[in-house]
Amino acid sequence: LPTIKDPIMNIHEYQGKSILQAHGVAVQEGFLAETAEQAQLVAEELRKKFGTEIFVIKAQIHAGGRGKGGGVKIARSPAEAAEVASKMLGMTLVTPQTGPAGKMVRKVLVARDVYYKGESDIREFYMSVLLDRKRSAYVIMYSTEGGMDIEEVADKMPQAIFSEVIDSTCCLHDFQIRTIAFNLGLKGKAWKEMTLFIRGLWDAFIASDASLMEINPLLKTSDDLILAVDCKVALDDNSLFRHPELAAMRDLNEEDPTEVEATNNNLNYVKLDGDVGCMVNGAGLAMATMDLIQLSGGKPANFLDVGGGANAKTVEAGFRIILKDPNVKAILVNIFGGIVRCDRVAAGIIEAYKTIGDIQVPVIVRLQGTNATEAKVLIDSSGLKVIAASTFTDAAEKVRAAVRG
């Protein structure tokens, strides 16, 4: 069965680091640049402030594995930083997480060197704070093997991965923080810096209503400082009304255009990889409908919930969004009229046919509940090629026939 992703908003590395810094977490210093000239000015400023002669240019996209795709480069002067940035900006970066289409780089982060060339005793760790749904608790997961894919570490070196479960009724305890620092093999100044880092990371996670904060690599420098060199943050989309300053960090260029259009029309939409588009009201009915589609021999092409306030406009917008997927072979509209009125949904279907034009794929409609009789009259008198269904079983049979036909 299809997996529906959590409602999250991803943000860029530089934005995640700004959240960490606001809670006293030490990070690899850097500034954003959107042109080669800005990249050179940033490098010059970093050289004045930190005395660094080496700079790291990082593509800012919502995907991991940037280094593997050429999205992280070293520059040894401000002029070279400008040259590297000019090549990186505008490029399509393909990483293991972007898929073959890749993502366009529109901005870069120019950061200072924190590896102190020529000095030893540098260590890279992994650390993340996330929600463990099986335990119904937050977990801090960490490893001595940072700088590489945590999935690979879990497969080849499971003994190198630790986790600390946090009591959901209380908070992160000091003894847990000390345990993490000890398990990472730290002592002295580095141990103390790590305890401060963990406390700040936890505070940032809770204060921002994040679903995930992942630091990889988490660096112990040669002079025993603890720094977040990279930062991946996913914010709970449902909490953004409490955080307008975080909501403003949304980068629509990094999101699926169809999902952005759905959000603008107050629709809950997630694209899947199937061949049957579905339009439903209510998340529970939507999940049941996707099960129905799967059992009928098809695969859901999307999750689309028009909500309780559906009207002709939102239904028309839903049709437009579903039909943008070239894989859709049929559309199932399954509405139970409780709050929503079935006759309004029927009006939206008719309006969609009029404004979109000839819809080539079969449309199966099941409307039950409030004003279902009026809705049937509207559909029947419209003259449209709509396939009516009365029950779940009936709808399943007609979806099966449509997909096979």
Side-chain angles (χ1 to χ4, degrees):
L1 295 180
T3 299
I4 300 300
K5 67 181 183 181
D6 290 332
I8 61 171
M9 185 185 90
N10 291 313
I11 59 177
H12 290 292
E13 173 193 352
Y14 76 93
Q15 295 169 321
K17 284 181 174 178
S18 71
I19 295 175
L20 294 180
Q21 284 181 300
H23 292 271
V25 179
V27 305
Q28 178 191 32
E29 295 275 359
F31 299 97
L32 193 67
E34 298 185 45
T35 66
E37 293 76 17
Q38 288 178 358
Q40 182 167 346
L41 291 173
V42 168
E44 290 172 351
E45 186 63 29
L46 290 172
R47 182 165 61 182
K48 291 177 185 177
K49 186 175 181 179
F50 299 103
T52 181
E53 292 295 337
I54 298 177
F55 311 94
V56 186
I57 318 300
K58 298 181 175 184
Q60 297 298 284
I61 61 169
H62 289 176
R66 292 171 296 168
K68 296 177 182 179
V72 179
K73 298 286 187 181
I74 297 294
R76 301 184 181 278
S77 69
E80 188 177 348
E83 182 181 347
V84 171
S86 68
K87 294 178 181 178
M88 196 175 290
L89 289 165
M91 72 178 285
T92 298
L93 181 58
V94 179
T95 81
Q97 294 186 18
T98 63
K103 289 191 173 185
M104 179 180 289
V105 180
R106 294 177 171 85
K107 55 188 90 173
V108 297
L109 178 65
V110 182
R112 73 181 181 104
D113 173 38
V114 290
Y115 283 80
Y116 307 148
K117 183 179 178 182
E119 298 186 31
S120 60
D121 199 27
I122 291 174
R123 295 181 63 188
E124 289 184 334
F125 305 112
Y126 170 93
M127 185 172 293
S128 64
V129 189
L130 67 158
L131 174 64
D132 186 332
R133 295 190 180 280
K134 291 183 179 179
R135 292 188 175 109
S136 296
Y138 290 120
V139 173
I140 295 181
M141 188 166 67
Y142 58 104
S143 174
T144 54
E145 305 301 312
M148 59 189 295
D149 293 334
I150 197 65
E151 292 83 1
E152 185 178 341
V153 176
D155 182 50
K156 297 180 179 179
M157 302 175 62
Q159 72 280 2
I161 295 182
F162 303 88
S163 62
E164 199 69 35
V165 180
I166 300 164
D167 184 354
S168 59
T169 64
C170 182
C171 55
L172 175 63
H173 296 290
D174 288 341
F175 78 86
Q176 293 178 296
I177 294 176
R178 293 194 294 269
T179 298
I180 295 171
F182 277 123
N183 284 342
L184 291 175
L186 299 173
K187 58 185 179 181
K189 178 184 175 182
W191 182 90
K192 181 179 179 181
E193 290 290 323
M194 180 61 78
T195 61
L196 294 173
F197 184 97
I198 297 167
R199 174 58 67 189
L201 176 62
W202 172 252
D203 290 345
F205 179 83
I206 293 300
S208 60
D209 283 316
S211 296
L212 169 71
M213 280 192 173
E214 183 180 63
I215 314 299
N216 188 30
L218 169 58
L219 183 72
K220 185 196 83 67
T221 66
S222 57
D223 51 354
D224 288 338
L225 297 177
I226 304 297
L227 304 175
V229 175
D230 196 2
C231 177
K232 178 180 180 180
V233 175
L235 302 172
D236 185 345
D237 210 28
N238 294 313
S239 73
L240 292 178
F241 72 94
R242 291 200 293 257
H243 307 284
E245 76 287 356
L246 300 181
M249 292 181 177
R250 174 165 255 136
D251 187 347
L252 298 182
N253 290 318
E254 293 292 319
E255 299 185 18
D256 186 307
T258 308
E259 293 186 14
V260 173
E261 182 182 349
T263 300
N264 292 338
N265 284 282
N266 297 315
L267 299 171
N268 294 315
Y269 172 86
V270 179
K271 186 181 183 307
L272 302 173
D273 57 0
D275 52 8
V276 179
C278 57
M279 185 186 306
V280 190
N281 65 316
L285 183 59
M287 297 301 291
T289 301
M290 289 194 294
D291 289 347
L292 179 148
I293 291 170
Q294 195 89 14
L295 292 171
S296 72
K299 290 185 177 180
N302 63 271
F303 171 101
L304 195 155
D305 175 12
V306 297
N311 53 38
K313 182 180 179 182
T314 55
V315 171
E316 180 191 339
F319 265 96
R320 288 184 181 277
I321 290 167
I322 291 173
L323 290 169
K324 286 183 179 181
D325 185 348
N327 296 322
V328 169
K329 296 179 180 178
I331 298 174
L332 171 60
V333 180
N334 189 14
I335 299 293
F336 180 80
I339 299 174
V340 66
R341 286 168 39 184
C342 292
D343 57 327
R344 287 185 177 178
V345 176
I349 295 172
I350 296 168
E351 191 64 29
Y353 268 88
K354 289 179 179 177
T355 57
I356 295 174
D358 187 21
I359 297 177
Q360 298 296 321
V361 300
V363 177
I364 300 97
V365 177
R366 175 180 178 266
L367 300 175
Q368 295 292 324
T370 306
N371 288 1
T373 303
E374 291 84 346
K376 185 176 186 306
V377 171
L378 285 173
I379 294 291
D380 291 344
S381 62
S382 68
L384 301 177
K385 296 178 181 179
V386 176
I387 304 169
S390 56
T391 65
F392 251 45
T393 303
D394 186 25
E397 290 295 332
K398 288 172 177 174
V399 167
R400 180 183 292 112
V403 170
R404 290 178 178 175

